[in-house]
Amino acid sequence: NAGVTQTPKFQVLKTGQSMTLQCAQDMNHEYMSWYRQDPGMGLRLIHYSVGAGITDQGEVPNGYNVSRSTTEDFPLRLLSAAPSQTSVYFCASSSPGQGRYEQYFGPGTRLTVT
Amino acid sequence: GIQVEQSPPDLILQEGANSTLRCNFSDSVNNLQWFHQNPWGQLINLFYIPSGTKQNGRLSATTVATERYSLLYISSSQTTDSGVYFCAVVPGSARQLTFGSGTQLTVLP
């Protein structure tokens, strides 16, 4: 298993540009999430999904859009990039079997908006 | 929402020393995980431990859910243990993790 994969690893955008961060998992997990990590801080939840076709907002959803058309993929779209979105983005997946919500994280995408 | 507090925020050790990291949380939880974020930014799962005690080599963790805290023990620390240690919880009514602000560990040779 590759686990949770993310592309690209690094990205530089200009203010106002849009882009999509890709996330895929091959563990057949129902739950997938996007987090952002700012310098010196823990991770904060942006959006999450409990299954294909179902998404919901997390703590910091503004400026981001998600959709979940398959179990495997959960892309994160930046609609109009702003310098405040400079961060490291992590995707995670989990399966709630037997009440466990153990999450597995991808390697991250480091995004800089100039 | 739930509050997750980690202490100490920073810790500097000599190689070979032992340490204890603490995580306090303000409400009941379904899940508690400890992660190590290495200097390259990768998040490594250390323990899934909503209650009880687990050990993995030089690392062990204990969660006392009724008293709302968890402890991570690192024995005989090595320079490769350096990085940030995060505690993260899933509150009782939620399905996603809430992270603490982390403990920055530096192990000196």
Side-chain angles (χ1 to χ4, degrees):
Chain A
N1 285 353
V4 180
T5 58
Q6 294 183 235
T7 56
K9 286 187 169 53
F10 302 93
Q11 183 71 48
V12 179
L13 291 179
K14 293 189 187 309
T15 296
Q17 288 184 317
S18 62
M19 79 159 293
T20 300
L21 280 62
Q22 301 292 342
C23 175
Q25 53 93 9
D26 61 0
M27 297 175 281
N28 202 31
H29 284 171
E30 296 94 328
Y31 290 4
M32 296 185 73
S33 312
W34 277 102
Y35 296 82
R36 61 177 286 174
Q37 184 180 28
D38 298 318
M41 296 179 66
L43 281 68
R44 293 183 293 168
L45 182 66
I46 305 172
H47 284 285
Y48 66 97
S49 168
V50 299
I54 305 169
T55 63
D56 207 346
Q57 296 181 350
E59 180 185 355
V60 287
N62 292 341
Y64 306 96
N65 204 357
V66 293
S67 60
R68 182 113 178 258
S69 55
T70 67
T71 299
E72 295 78 18
D73 300 299
F74 191 42
L76 178 72
R77 281 181 285 278
L78 279 69
L79 308 173
S80 177
S84 61
Q85 293 178 305
T86 293
S87 191
V88 181
Y89 291 84
F90 289 95
C91 178
S93 74
S94 65
S95 178
Q98 300 176 348
R100 284 177 74 107
Y101 297 95
E102 183 174 7
Q103 296 212 6
Y104 298 86
F105 283 80
T109 293
R110 189 174 295 274
L111 175 68
T112 301
V113 183
T114 62
Chain B
I2 193 168
Q3 303 299 311
V4 183
E5 297 179 353
Q6 291 187 243
S7 59
D10 297 280
L11 187 58
I12 300 175
L13 301 172
Q14 286 296 136
E15 200 167 25
N18 301 330
S19 61
T20 301
L21 282 56
R22 186 176 180 101
C23 172
N24 292 334
F25 43 96
S26 61
D27 206 346
S28 61
V29 299
N30 288 327
N31 172 14
L32 188 146
Q33 289 183 251
W34 282 98
F35 296 91
H36 175 213
Q37 188 166 41
N38 63 23
W40 296 270
Q42 185 182 8
L43 276 168
I44 300 164
N45 283 30
L46 296 177
F47 293 103
Y48 169 84
I49 187 165
S51 64
T53 297
K54 290 186 178 179
Q55 180 153 10
N56 184 4
R58 295 181 296 103
L59 274 59
S60 64
T62 295
T63 297
V64 184
T66 53
E67 298 188 21
R68 298 181 183 168
Y69 74 88
S70 183
L71 302 173
L72 178 68
Y73 305 96
I74 305 174
S75 64
S76 304
S77 58
Q78 301 175 358
T79 56
T80 52
D81 294 331
S82 296
V84 183
Y85 289 80
F86 287 106
C87 168
V89 302
V90 176
S93 60
R95 296 294 179 265
Q96 306 303 325
L97 288 168
T98 297
F99 278 75
S101 55
T103 292
Q104 173 77 57
L105 175 65
T106 303
V107 181
L108 303 174

